[in-house]
Amino acid sequence: MAARPVIELDGIRKVYAEGTPAEVVALRGVSLRVDHGEFLAIMGPSGSGKSTLMNIIGCLDQPTSGRYRCDGEDVAELDAAGRAALRLRKIGFVFQGFHLLSRHTALENVMLPLAYAGIPRQERRARAEQALAEVGLAERAGHRPAELSGGQQQRVAIARALINKPPVLLADEPTGALDTRTGDEIMALFKRLQHEGHTVVLITHEQHVADFADRAVVMRDGELQEAA
């Protein structure tokens, strides 16, 4: 039985300031399929279009043309509220800069997406405690970001991304602010999450990091190529 795609891009173009002297073509007909449970790395130099591609996959931006299906849903048929709901259900985000709220504890940071989903506080707390345990930080639940190492902060961010049990994890340079050993620990965690059934799509500049993925693609001048 063939694997079912969770991400399907067909002929995606993204043009900024279209029809003006400042026009920039960021994506030039990108087509991509990512199956459930796959670990994909997207590589490429600055300005290649990889961040634009990630934003479209994450429903943070819309293509100028082309079709995108996320876990079977045609994103073009959704309004802004529909895209926000899809992000909440289907996609967990992990960023290089962690994006944790400094005045909140690790537990409170992880609970936040559940508040947006209208989950009762007692259930939010229980699920956040479980998510922190899954990334090895149960004993740090009451600590604020400034009291955590970079690797621990990224684990909190990953727990937050997992809290709604999304099928897709999007990670934008998740090891960029970490030393090599800590970065490898984070990548091993992503690999474990893949084995538990998550689809992982990762942006990275580093070949060493991309080697953790099953497959790598390279963005160059808005076009997508399979890595050698």
Side-chain angles (χ1 to χ4, degrees):
M1 182 176 173
R4 181 165 67 91
V6 66
I7 293 168
E8 294 178 277
L9 304 174
D10 184 16
I12 295 292
R13 294 182 73 253
K14 181 62 179 179
V15 183
Y16 295 100
E18 187 174 20
T20 74
E23 179 177 290
V24 174
V25 182
L27 297 176
R28 303 172 183 271
V30 171
S31 295
L32 176 68
R33 169 182 166 139
V34 184
D35 290 335
H36 274 274
E38 188 175 2
F39 192 156
L40 175 73
I42 301 174
M43 304 184 71
S46 297
S48 62
K50 64 184 185 301
S51 293
T52 301
L53 180 62
M54 181 70 92
N55 286 341
I56 288 173
I57 292 173
C59 299
L60 298 172
D61 199 356
Q62 295 177 269
T64 303
S65 62
R67 169 173 281 190
Y68 171 34
R69 290 186 180 274
C70 180
D71 205 23
E73 292 192 58
D74 190 337
V75 177
E77 296 179 355
L78 303 175
D79 59 13
R83 292 191 298 273
L86 184 145
R87 284 196 301 272
L88 192 63
R89 298 192 320 271
K90 304 288 189 181
I91 301 168
F93 295 91
V94 181
F95 302 97
Q96 176 178 336
F98 317 137
H99 292 194
L100 302 178
L101 298 179
S102 61
R103 295 185 179 182
H104 290 257
T105 65
L107 184 67
E108 290 166 342
N109 270 282
V110 175
M111 289 169 64
L112 277 175
L114 296 179
Y116 299 137
I119 305 298
R121 181 174 177 79
Q122 187 172 354
E123 183 180 345
R124 295 203 304 266
R125 184 180 184 89
R127 285 172 58 176
E129 287 173 344
Q130 180 183 354
L132 283 171
E134 288 174 357
V135 299
L137 282 184
E139 296 180 356
R140 296 284 185 170
H143 289 67
R144 289 180 171 79
E147 301 168 321
L148 302 172
S149 69
Q152 289 170 336
Q153 290 184 61
Q154 192 61 290
R155 286 175 182 271
V156 173
I158 292 170
R160 182 182 58 195
L162 291 170
I163 196 67
N164 280 322
K165 304 185 183 304
V168 180
L169 290 176
L170 297 184
D172 191 355
E173 300 282 1
T175 64
L178 306 175
D179 62 76
T180 301
R181 181 184 64 80
T182 305
D184 285 352
E185 291 174 356
I186 293 299
M187 292 309 301
L189 175 56
F190 276 118
K191 199 69 180 174
R192 194 195 86 202
L193 294 170
Q194 178 203 10
H195 291 156
E196 292 174 358
H198 291 280
T199 303
V200 181
V201 179
L202 168 85
I203 279 185
T204 183
H205 286 92
E206 302 177 64
Q207 184 63 53
H208 169 70
V209 171
D211 287 342
F212 282 86
D214 300 327
R215 177 167 64 105
V217 294
V218 179
M219 289 295 301
R220 290 193 177 91
D221 300 322
E223 297 181 340
L224 193 66
Q225 305 170 1
E226 291 283 341

